[in-house]
């Protein structure tokens, strides 16, 4: 059985803009490997303190089969992907459950 899931994430404590774009490229590759690249938008922004960060979210709810298994897998590879590019960065994933919200 599949469920509809909203995916949103941020990566903070990024050193600078080049590192932010390196994180974006690595996360784009991860999204491709997870077969959701065409459904997730990722970009770089600057907060009010002038620090760069990476953020992204699903363009619409993702239909995920066996989400209870996929979620911990995805969270682990997401954190490892960020750590491989920027060891000091802090990734955060937020899940939404749109079927429960309507």
């Amino acid at each position: 059985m599949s469920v509809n899931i909203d995916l949103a994430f941020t990566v903070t404590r990024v050193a600078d803009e080049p590192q932010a774009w390196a994180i974006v490229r690595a996360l784009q590759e991860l999204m491709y490997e997870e077969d959701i690249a065409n459904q997730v938008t990722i970009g770089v922004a600057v907060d009010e303190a002038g620090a760069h960060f990476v953020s992204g979210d699903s363009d619409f709810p993702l239909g995920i089969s066996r989400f209870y298994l996929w979620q911990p897998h995805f969270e682990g590879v997401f954190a490892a992907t960020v750590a491989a590019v920027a060891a000091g960065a802090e990734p955060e994933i937020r899940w939404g459950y749109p079927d429960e919200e309507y």
Side-chain angles (χ1 to χ4, degrees), residues 9 12 16 29-30 35 47 52 57 62 81 91 93-94 98:
F9 56 85
T12 56
D16 53 23
E29 179 64 28
L30 172 62
D35 202 25
D47 67 18
H52 287 84
D57 60 359
L62 306 172
T81 298
I93 296 176
R94 295 171 309 283

Side-chain angles (χ1 to χ4, degrees), residues 8-95:
F9 56 85
T10 55
V11 180
T12 56
R13 299 188 57 138
V14 176
D16 53 23
E17 185 176 7
Q19 186 180 66
W21 286 110
I23 293 168
V24 167
R25 288 188 297 276
L27 291 176
Q28 286 172 331
E29 179 64 28
L30 172 62
M31 300 306 159
Y32 178 79
E33 292 168 1
E34 294 295 322
D35 202 25
I36 58 174
N38 293 333
Q39 302 166 13
V40 177
T41 301
I42 307 171
V44 172
V46 179
D47 67 18
E48 56 264 353
H52 287 84
F53 67 95
V54 175
S55 65
D57 60 359
S58 53
D59 300 328
F60 45 84
L62 306 172
I64 306 293
S65 296
R66 300 172 66 181
F67 179 68
Y68 66 95
L69 293 175
W70 183 78
Q71 178 184 10
H73 157 77
F74 182 79
E75 289 174 349
V77 295
F78 187 92
T81 298
V82 171
V85 176
E90 292 185 9
E92 176 190 0
I93 296 176
R94 295 171 309 283
W95 301 105

